[in-house]
Amino acid sequence: MIKDTIVDGFINAPHRSLYNALGLTKEELERPIIGIVSSYNEIVPGHMNIDKIVEAVKLGVAMAGGTPIVFPAIAVCDGIAMGHKGMKYSLVTRDLIADSTESMVNAHGFDGLVMVPNCDKNVPGLLMAAARLNIPTVFVSGGPMLAGRVDGKKRSLSAMFEATGAYAAGKIDDAKLREFEEKVCPTCGSCSGMYTANSMNCLTEVMGMGLKGNGTIPAVYSSRIQLAKHAGMQVMECVRKNIRPRDILTKEAFENAIAADMAIGCSTNSMLHIPAIANECGIEIDLEHVNDISERTPNICHLAPAGPTYMEDLNEAGGIYAVIKELIDAGLFNGDVMTVTGKTMSENVADCDVKDPEVIRPLDNPFTKTGGLAILKGNLAPDGCVVKRSAVAPEMLVHEGPARCFNSEEEAIAFIYSGKVQPGDVIVIRYEGPAGGPGMREMLSPTSAIAGAGLDKDVALITDGRFSGATRGASIGHVSPEAVSGGTIAYVKDGDIISINIPEYKISLKVSDEELAERKKTMNIESNKELTGYLKRYSKMVSSADKGAIINV
């Protein structure tokens, strides 16, 4: 207990004087002190309600006999950062969040933690911190946004980016673009499709670190406030029973996360974050094993951008617990794992059923017989790359075409908007990897421009960068090794034929080994951009994407 080391005894009188300055009473200091890590800010739409969530958590902690203390975590809005240099600062914040949370907790000492994240990198960043610190911890997210409506159909942020591409292609006018702009994001919350934020909040629930509904209860529902109160109460149970993150985040829990990922069609970014969180637990995730799990796990949910349903629909259909129950019953999920409830996952989901078989399909009638993600390998990506195959049109699962090479996202976007892209092309964007970017920017703008122009069933895009969960189409990211490290992607030339076979997990550059060897002698690797500050340090320390873009120490 914190009071044993920081509060009690004459030697801690100076500490007590500072607690006194905070207005804490003797009675409060005699209770377990619970840190509440709040990612609230006024720039991220997914976080504008988190102050309400935090107040509810505080009440829950106090009701259960604890003393809540709030401190902050940063968060970047990937949508606002998209398409410019700001996106270089998105992935890199994951490690800043983990490091700063570690610093705050170890500097001040807490008996337990409630993490309150919501958007793309602060969910995995706080999961990394929880695993590293290993004190009783419960997660409760800010919740997903409700879908917007345009032309009588539900819409989300991915539709907005694609509308921008349609406008550039002359397919919609100013008035329609403005209508999308005003309607696709109607409430606070993490954007309403199965994008990275919602993927990671759902996987937090899957791994047992959050309570039922953590990933799916909409941000504006009162039940989200009730969930937050219960999270505050539950962390006190975890403190009393000494249930710690590494009791929960086991190898089996990570394999469960991958299986659920395949079933619900999560963002490709999960293939960066799951290995990084596992690394904090001393567990290595073999990407080859991801395909094994994918082969036996059907994709039973098609949320935007893969399909026409949204997080609110998944919530009404039974939520993540209903999906887990289906997987456990089929022997595809280990239900014996521990969770923050103090019960096994099988016990948690025992009474949960699917309420809408069109949103959560039966395993014998899936959208596809294999999982939502695939890891491809070949001479273009010897260490692997990743694609969200559940969002790829059937006619693009096998594709071969000429490369169109660009050394930055900006160059590629300019080319796409110029109208010069031809059906069959394979757009290659390099020097955007973890070290080469640095920061591994998301490529939602170019993929949306392609989709908005109606070319997503004809054109593939390959990068050593990454994609937003809002991306659809034959978009293949995380190419490893990356260009700046001398990966094959650095030596592709315009017109080279690239072959993609997603069902067979293959990707290849149709250039002979001899020709590649000659190119490596004559073609220069681009040096990193002029870097300063955090990006300079990050580029020197970050691992390749196939290792989770973790910081090497």
Side-chain angles (χ1 to χ4, degrees), residues 267-281:
S267 164
T268 51
N269 282 312
S270 64
M271 291 298 101
L272 288 174
H273 301 323
I274 291 174
I277 299 161
N279 178 68
E280 297 290 347
C281 301

Side-chain angles (χ1 to χ4, degrees), residues 305-321:
T309 53
Y310 294 82
M311 297 305 297
E312 62 204 66
D313 303 311
L314 180 56
N315 188 62
E316 294 302 317
I320 294 302
Y321 270 25

Side-chain angles (χ1 to χ4, degrees), residues 286-288 375-386 477-482 485 487-488 507 544-547:
D286 183 356
L287 289 185
E288 293 280 359
I375 306 298
L376 313 183
K377 284 193 173 184
N379 68 339
L380 185 56
D383 295 334
C385 54
V386 63
H478 306 193
V479 170
S480 300
E482 62 177 294
S485 300
T488 305
I507 186 167
S544 61
D546 63 296
K547 302 299 183 186

Side-chain angles (χ1 to χ4, degrees), residues 20 27 162 181 201 228 230 232 234 245 282 295 297 333-334 340 347 389 391 443 489 528 540:
N20 182 68
E27 291 79 7
E162 290 180 16
E181 184 180 324
N201 282 326
H230 284 128
Q234 193 58 44
E295 279 294 321
T297 310
F333 190 106
N334 186 331
V340 291
E347 292 173 305
R389 66 173 157 191
M443 303 292 163
I489 192 171
N528 235 331
K540 291 180 177 179

Side-chain angles (χ1 to χ4, degrees), residues 154-347:
K154 288 184 177 181
R155 308 283 188 169
S156 61
L157 184 64
S158 54
M160 181 70 253
F161 274 90
E162 290 180 16
T164 305
Y167 180 84
K171 295 191 172 187
I172 63 173
D173 60 14
D174 288 333
K176 181 56 69 175
L177 182 68
R178 188 162 53 252
E179 183 182 2
F180 271 89
E181 184 180 324
E182 293 171 353
K183 292 183 177 179
V184 296
C185 296
T187 71
C188 63
S190 48
C191 297
S192 55
M194 188 55 80
Y195 311 147
T196 305
N198 292 327
S199 295
M200 293 311 302
N201 282 326
C202 288
L203 294 182
T204 299
E205 192 174 336
V206 167
M207 290 187 288
M209 290 297 294
L211 301 177
K212 179 184 178 183
N214 179 71
T216 60
I217 297 173
V220 295
Y221 282 16
S222 297
S223 52
R224 174 63 56 180
I225 299 296
Q226 293 170 331
L227 178 69
K229 291 176 183 175
H230 284 128
M233 297 179 207
Q234 193 58 44
V235 76
M236 294 301 297
E237 280 298 300
C238 291
V239 169
R240 292 181 185 112
K241 295 177 179 178
N242 197 28
I243 299 172
R244 297 169 180 258
R246 287 186 214 164
D247 300 327
I248 297 167
L249 296 172
T250 60
K251 182 179 180 181
E252 292 76 16
F254 289 113
E255 291 185 347
N256 284 344
I258 296 169
D261 189 318
M262 297 301 166
I264 62 179
C266 289
S267 164
T268 51
N269 282 312
S270 64
M271 291 298 101
L272 288 174
H273 301 323
I274 291 174
I277 299 161
N279 178 68
E280 297 290 347
C281 301
I283 297 168
E284 184 175 352
I285 301 296
D286 183 356
L287 289 185
E288 293 280 359
H289 191 40
V290 171
N291 286 341
D292 296 336
I293 295 174
S294 180
E295 279 294 321
R296 61 177 182 261
T297 310
N299 177 231
I300 58 176
C301 296
H302 249 197
L303 283 80
T309 53
Y310 294 82
M311 297 305 297
E312 62 204 66
D313 303 311
L314 180 56
N315 188 62
E316 294 302 317
I320 294 302
Y321 270 25
V323 173
I324 293 172
K325 177 70 157 41
E326 292 289 297
L327 296 175
I328 289 175
D329 288 348
L332 298 171
F333 190 106
N334 186 331
D336 295 330
V337 292
M338 177 57 64
T339 71
V340 291
T341 66
K343 300 177 181 178
T344 67
M345 187 61 80
S346 289
E347 292 173 305

Side-chain angles (χ1 to χ4, degrees), residues 109-154:
F110 291 94
D111 295 308
L113 298 168
V114 179
M115 306 291 201
V116 191
N118 211 29
C119 288
D120 291 27
K121 307 309 169 299
N122 73 317
V123 181
L126 289 178
L127 281 165
M128 290 165 65
R132 190 183 300 175
L133 292 161
N134 201 34
I135 64 174
T137 303
V138 176
F139 276 69
V140 57
S141 76
M145 184 184 291
L146 294 178
R149 287 184 181 272
V150 178
D151 298 330
K153 296 181 179 179
K154 288 184 177 181

Side-chain angles (χ1 to χ4, degrees), residues 37-89:
V37 188
S38 169
S39 61
Y40 169 75
N41 63 50
E42 295 183 341
I43 189 62
V44 183
H47 292 227
M48 62 181 286
N49 66 319
I50 280 180
D51 56 340
K52 308 295 190 299
I53 302 296
V54 167
E55 288 303 312
V57 172
K58 288 174 66 177
L59 186 56
V61 169
M63 285 192 294
T67 298
I69 303 286
V70 179
F71 65 89
I74 63 169
V76 164
C77 176
D78 278 28
I80 294 174
M82 195 71 66
H84 58 92
K85 70 177 183 180
M87 181 47 69
K88 294 179 183 290
Y89 287 90

